[in-house]
Amino acid sequence: MQHFYAQIANHIGLAKVFAQQEKVREGELELKAALEIANSLNLHSEILKTYQAYSVFYQILNDYKNATQSLDVFFALYDSLLSIQKFEILKETQNNFFVQQNLNKIQHELESTRLMRIHLIVILALLLGIIILIIWRLRMQRNLNRQLKQV
């Protein structure tokens, strides 16, 4: 992937050299090649750099009409990419919010389940204690009854 960035930079550099030599056609072909690579790989930053290079290319040639048009394309593309990026950030923020909300809900449910288990254990312990107490009292009563029968 890194070599594609280098290829694009090479094409842009060659285009600027051709502009210095006033070789318009060759320079435009280099910029077109850079733009094709950037577009084919969907490298937004490199697409922007290429359109900016178009403007510099035409400025070097003193062709301010084309330089201005290239800058207009650059700014329009920059604005649209910025809008897309803002939308993606907003979407990611919303997703993070919903994930956090779900995590909080699950955590609350787990805490409720844990408390319910603790309450259940306490109730079972109390019931066991009551049963043991009843059995103990029943045995004591039987022992007392036996002793009364013997007397």
Side-chain angles (χ1 to χ4, degrees):
M1 186 66 141
Q2 200 70 351
H3 69 282
F4 291 116
Y5 287 98
Q7 284 181 341
I8 293 168
N10 285 342
H11 286 296
I12 291 172
L14 285 172
K16 289 178 182 177
V17 169
F18 285 134
Q20 293 291 336
Q21 296 172 353
E22 295 185 8
K23 296 181 178 179
V24 179
R25 180 75 182 132
E26 291 87 347
E28 287 175 339
L29 288 174
E30 292 296 332
L31 289 172
K32 184 179 178 185
L35 191 59
E36 285 174 357
I37 294 170
N39 279 327
S40 69
L41 297 172
N42 207 21
L43 301 172
H44 298 297
S45 62
E46 298 304 306
I47 294 170
L48 287 173
K49 284 181 188 175
T50 305
Y51 277 112
Q52 194 173 25
Y54 264 108
S55 175
V56 171
F57 175 78
Y58 288 121
Q59 284 176 0
I60 293 170
L61 293 170
N62 294 323
D63 184 352
Y64 295 107
K65 179 182 175 190
N66 282 330
T68 304
Q69 287 175 347
S70 297
L71 274 179
D72 289 342
V73 171
F74 168 77
F75 286 124
L77 185 61
Y78 182 81
D79 285 342
S80 67
L81 288 175
L82 190 62
S83 296
I84 290 169
Q85 201 172 34
K86 285 180 183 178
F87 178 74
E88 288 173 352
I89 290 171
L90 178 63
K91 195 173 181 181
E92 185 176 336
T93 303
Q94 285 175 335
N95 287 341
N96 287 342
F97 174 74
F98 290 129
V99 167
Q100 187 64 38
Q101 203 172 23
N102 285 337
L103 283 174
N104 288 339
K105 181 181 175 184
I106 291 169
Q107 187 176 9
H108 178 71
E109 289 172 358
L110 286 173
E111 184 66 24
S112 296
T113 304
R114 188 180 72 80
L115 286 174
M116 194 181 327
R117 285 182 180 167
I118 290 172
H119 288 133
L120 184 61
I121 291 170
V122 169
I123 290 170
L124 288 175
L126 288 173
L127 285 174
L128 184 62
I130 291 171
I131 290 171
I132 291 172
L133 183 64
I134 290 172
I135 292 172
W136 180 75
R137 293 277 294 160
L138 187 63
R139 284 188 177 178
M140 289 292 288
Q141 189 67 38
R142 285 183 186 166
N143 284 338
L144 283 176
N145 284 344
R146 278 188 207 142
Q147 286 175 359
L148 280 175
K149 282 184 181 180
Q150 288 177 357
V151 176

